[in-house]
Amino acid sequence: MEAIITIVGFLGAGKTTLLQQVSQLLLSRGWQPFIILNDYENAQMDAQQFLEQLPPQSIKALSGSCICCSGIHELRNFINLIPPRENGITLIEANGTSDACSLMGFLGVGLEKRFLPPVQISVADVKNWQKRGEHNELEANQIQVSSLIVLTHTEDCTAARVQQVKADIQKLNPLAKIILPTEVEAQQLWQLAPSQNQAEKLDHLKAHWSSCSVALPSLPDKQSILDICQAIPASILRVKGCTKIGEEKDYTFFERTPDGAIHFKTYYGAPATGPSLLSIGPGSDTAMLEKAIKNALKLSAAR
């Protein structure tokens, strides 16, 4: 039978990074993973980052809906259409605002018998854990029915902070195993069983925010990306984009995480939906993004 593992966690916690690590680990052990990525806007942008690991037919991007509710039927139907493989395993990355408890409650209903009951892994950002203000409840919800919790962003944290976050998580989910990314093992993933932990009920509306995307022109330098990200209000919890910079041959992928940090990495190939800028969070709208791009280009011209 084929295992189904969902990876959940707050925006910017490191879900895609963990998914890449897990995929490579499984491939090295002879497994044949199928990856499904869900996001409000342009999930294809993240999906293309896996093309160096897997063929296109083993990757599926689901955009425009949330798999914890409105997108659950599409997700379930697609899983049932995945071709059987020897040593197959299905990995699902949920968007960063998913109601993780609802997702697990709905996903297992209606799957074909060749699949094992779904299990969940949570990614918990130690640096920013429960520093989300009004979104703390959603972040806490995302670890309550997980069988395994992976702690990320521990590099700049004290040992006392790591232990405090572990203690907080254990109160919410005493049945889950808590590990670091370096401790993830392939056999461990296969042996995971669905959590029996009882979750606190979440107001489902807290898991739904606005999002939007616009076309992004080529930019003269990285400073222009910084200018764009800094012009977008802090209420926008996630900013992502992909475009070409100056005379560089490859595209550059960038993101602003909820703590305001801005990260860059090379994006090999070309984005299937074209260079774009997207945002997730209260107040997202295309006019705001277009204004940020326009102002960044003006600043660049004046430098």
Side-chain angles (χ1 to χ4, degrees):
M1 298 182 73
E2 180 166 342
I4 298 176
I5 297 175
T6 67
I7 297 178
V8 302
F10 204 78
L11 295 165
K15 296 184 296 298
T16 303
T17 300
L18 178 64
L19 181 56
Q20 290 174 320
Q21 176 189 342
V22 167
S23 300
Q24 191 58 49
L25 181 63
L26 292 169
L27 286 167
S28 70
R29 300 294 191 276
W31 295 91
Q32 298 182 52
F34 192 103
I35 291 177
I36 302 174
L37 299 105
N38 170 235
D39 210 342
Y40 281 117
E41 296 281 343
N42 202 352
Q44 188 64 42
M45 187 183 296
D46 285 332
Q48 284 187 255
Q49 297 184 62
F50 290 87
L51 289 178
E52 290 189 343
Q53 293 179 315
L54 295 167
Q57 61 267 28
S58 295
I59 308 167
K60 175 67 174 179
L62 298 178
S63 298
S65 63
C66 183
I67 57 173
C68 68
C69 52
S70 60
I72 190 65
H73 298 294
E74 180 184 12
L75 173 63
R76 189 186 297 124
N77 290 339
F78 187 81
I79 291 172
N80 284 333
L81 293 174
I82 294 174
R85 292 103 63 219
E86 185 178 356
N87 292 331
I89 185 168
T90 294
L91 305 172
I92 303 167
E93 180 185 333
N95 78 68
T97 68
S98 292
D99 179 342
C101 295
S102 291
L103 172 59
M104 292 308 287
F106 294 141
L107 179 56
V109 179
L111 291 178
E112 291 187 356
K113 292 182 179 180
R114 65 187 174 97
F115 293 104
L116 292 167
V119 296
Q120 192 173 94
I121 297 175
S122 285
V123 182
D125 175 356
V126 172
K127 181 180 178 181
N128 297 293
W129 170 259
Q130 293 298 276
K131 296 181 180 180
R132 314 289 188 180
E134 62 182 305
H135 307 301
N136 280 348
E137 186 180 357
L138 174 59
E139 183 183 46
N141 164 271
Q142 293 175 330
I143 61 97
Q144 292 186 47
V145 294
S146 290
S147 304
L148 180 68
I149 297 170
V150 181
L151 302 181
T152 60
H153 302 298
T154 60
E155 303 82 13
D156 299 323
C157 297
T158 64
R161 170 64 179 172
V162 175
Q163 289 304 314
Q164 181 58 59
V165 171
K166 281 187 176 181
D168 289 348
I169 290 173
Q170 286 171 337
K171 288 180 182 178
L172 292 166
N173 187 346
L175 304 179
K177 184 174 182 179
I178 304 173
I179 64 172
L180 297 173
T182 54
E183 298 173 310
V184 176
E185 299 176 355
Q187 190 63 25
Q188 176 188 58
L189 299 175
W190 178 253
Q191 292 173 347
L192 289 176
S195 174
Q196 300 301 312
N197 190 49
Q198 295 299 308
E200 298 177 6
K201 186 174 178 58
L202 173 76
D203 178 357
H204 193 67
L205 290 177
K206 293 183 178 181
H208 293 279
W209 306 333
S210 56
S211 64
C212 65
S213 63
V214 297
L216 182 61
S218 295
L219 299 172
D221 47 41
K222 283 189 176 180
Q223 183 59 48
S224 297
I225 292 176
L226 297 176
D227 291 337
I228 289 172
C229 291
Q230 290 164 2
I232 296 174
S235 61
I236 305 300
L237 296 177
R238 191 73 183 274
V239 178
K240 294 197 292 187
C242 186
T243 190
K244 283 192 173 182
I245 297 176
E247 301 299 321
E248 292 182 4
K249 176 183 176 182
D250 294 314
Y251 283 85
T252 293
F253 175 86
F254 63 91
E255 59 182 333
R256 189 189 78 184
T257 51
D259 61 359
I262 301 169
H263 305 278
F264 300 87
K265 60 182 173 181
T266 301
Y267 189 96
Y268 297 104
T273 54
S276 59
L277 173 68
L278 64 92
S279 65
I280 303 170
S284 290
D285 66 69
T286 56
M288 178 268 295
L289 295 182
E290 289 169 347
K291 182 179 179 181
I293 295 170
K294 183 177 180 181
N295 288 342
L297 293 174
K298 282 185 177 180
L299 287 172
S300 176
R303 282 196 284 270

